[in-house]
Amino acid sequence: MALSYKARRRWALIILLIGMPLYIIFAIAGVALLFSYTGRPPIAIEFAIYVILGVVWVFPFKKVFMGVGQADPDAAPSDPQ
């Protein structure tokens, strides 16, 4: 079942305004918990972990964000005057 353009825009907004801050909180807490057990790694490894976590979150939502920044394909064309 494909989402309509309006539904994708709404879900994208919800994901960015609610889901993203929650993901950041849980990602940082998870990494801090991991480091409390293993000790802090070298700065390059820690940086790589945060970069990977910063990119990985978008893959499950790829279809939601596709074309959201474009004009509504279902809308009637506007009158160019």
Side-chain angles (χ1 to χ4, degrees):
M1 180 176 159
L3 292 173
S4 69
Y5 176 77
K6 282 187 174 187
R8 284 188 293 128
R9 282 188 59 153
R10 286 184 187 123
W11 276 112
L13 190 62
I14 290 169
I15 291 167
L16 289 175
L17 293 179
I18 297 170
M20 190 63 175
L22 288 174
Y23 175 76
I24 291 169
I25 291 167
F26 284 115
I28 291 173
V31 171
L33 184 65
L34 174 69
F35 291 169
S36 71
Y37 288 117
T38 62
R40 191 166 181 188
I43 194 73
I45 293 174
E46 185 175 353
F47 179 73
I49 290 170
Y50 284 116
V51 167
I52 291 167
L53 287 173
V55 172
V56 166
W57 72 272
V58 80
F59 290 116
F61 303 115
K62 194 174 181 180
K63 294 233 181 210
V64 174
F65 289 112
M66 289 293 258
V68 171
Q70 305 295 324
D72 187 354
D74 300 328
S78 62
D79 189 21
Q81 288 186 13

